[in-house]
Amino acid sequence: MTDSPASALATSPYLSRLLATLSLVLLVVFLAAVGSVALPPKLLDPPWQLALIATVITNASLALMGTLLLPLALGFDPSNHRLRARWHAFRRWALPAALGFLLLIPLQGYAAWKFQRTITVAQEQQTTQTSQQLFELRQAITSSTTHEALQAKLKQLFGRNAGLSPSELRMPMSELRSTLLARAEQASTRMMQRIDAQAAIKPDLPLKETIRIAISALAYAIGFAFLAGVLPRTQAPSGGNRGVDQDYFETLAE
């Protein structure tokens, strides 16, 4: 009496090798994606931290599926001791992986806050510096009585390449003063408009990304904790046929 197709499928070394190979492929792709962002390491750089976390979360499904395929492959070939040893080796890393995903939640929040704070401080410093330069420019324009004195103050404020153009040097001092003060006022108005535009932009993108990553990290942590045997599993009912599904869950419980 020949074996049924279901019985042959339940113990298929070919399917076992296929699933084991796919498992390694998925894990290698995950490591390559993470490594391309992680190297070179910049541990104290918030943009590097955010990019690394986003890459890990985006590709974590590859790691989870790659790990999950190992016990499934073992279910098709339970006598494969090399595959069983590989699964036990990977399973020992499942709990650290689950804890790592949990740690990504506060790390993402801190890195996003640090990055947003850095941008805000840089914008404030740039605004303060520009305001100070405009104030000093107005003082230089109003206090200078000759073209040469104004030229010297402009070079002192903005560098050696700054100064009056040939046409401005030929203008009467009173007319030049009025022209430059009007330009300074226009620059001040543009700066205030830019500040107002930046203040009107709500920083909701970092918040949305942080929420997405936190939920995803929690889900992956639960998945790897299940593989590590930390979370309780559904027990298979006693009796009845012992198919691939039951063998699969039994290998997870080993």
Side-chain angles (χ1 to χ4, degrees):
M1 184 175 181
T2 59
D3 294 337
S4 64
S7 176
L9 183 63
T11 57
S12 174
Y14 171 75
L15 285 178
S16 177
R17 291 193 300 270
L18 177 61
L19 293 174
T21 302
L22 290 177
S23 170
L24 291 179
V25 169
L26 292 177
L27 292 172
V28 169
V29 172
F30 169 76
L31 293 176
V34 174
S36 64
V37 178
L39 300 176
K42 301 176 183 178
L43 301 180
L44 300 180
D45 186 22
W48 178 85
Q49 295 172 352
L50 292 174
L52 179 61
I53 294 172
T55 303
V56 171
I57 293 298
T58 301
N59 297 277
S61 59
L62 299 177
L64 185 62
M65 289 300 299
T67 306
L68 194 61
L69 287 178
L70 279 177
L72 184 59
L74 187 59
F76 284 107
D77 190 7
S79 62
N80 191 325
H81 298 292
R82 179 181 298 180
L83 187 59
R84 186 177 297 275
R86 186 192 303 174
W87 160 235
H88 286 311
F90 274 80
R91 188 178 177 184
R92 284 193 292 267
W93 288 97
L95 181 57
L99 296 176
F101 278 105
L102 289 179
L103 289 176
L104 289 182
I105 299 176
L107 181 59
Q108 166 69 22
Y110 173 77
W113 172 82
K114 187 71 174 179
F115 181 65
Q116 190 66 32
R117 180 59 182 167
T118 301
I119 294 177
T120 302
V121 171
Q123 290 175 347
E124 292 176 350
Q125 290 178 347
Q126 183 180 5
T127 300
T128 301
Q129 181 180 2
T130 304
S131 300
Q132 181 65 26
Q133 287 181 337
L134 288 174
F135 174 76
E136 293 176 352
L137 175 60
R138 292 191 185 97
Q139 280 192 327
I141 295 172
T142 55
S143 61
S144 299
T145 56
T146 63
H147 294 79
E148 290 76 12
L150 180 57
Q151 183 87 304
K153 290 182 179 179
L154 291 177
K155 291 182 179 296
Q156 183 180 359
L157 287 174
F158 302 105
R160 297 177 58 183
N161 294 328
L164 300 174
S165 64
S167 60
E168 290 172 340
L169 289 172
R170 293 191 296 268
M171 295 175 60
M173 195 61 192
S174 58
E175 182 181 352
L176 177 61
R177 187 180 292 111
S178 300
T179 302
L180 295 180
L181 286 175
R183 292 178 184 173
E185 189 62 29
Q186 291 176 355
S188 178
T189 301
R190 288 195 298 269
M191 184 189 69
M192 294 304 300
Q193 291 175 348
R194 178 172 55 84
I195 295 174
D196 293 339
Q198 291 175 350
I201 299 176
K202 297 181 180 180
D204 55 345
L205 289 181
L207 178 60
K208 291 180 179 179
E209 182 68 4
T210 298
I211 294 175
R212 182 189 72 85
I213 287 179
I215 295 175
S216 300
L218 180 60
Y220 285 124
I222 293 174
F224 278 100
F226 182 87
L227 292 177
V230 175
L231 299 180
R233 303 184 181 93
T234 303
Q235 297 295 328
S238 59
N241 295 329
R242 296 174 56 84
V244 175
D245 291 339
Q246 184 173 345
D247 289 337
Y248 166 67
F249 284 107
E250 286 181 355
T251 57
L252 284 178
E254 292 179 357

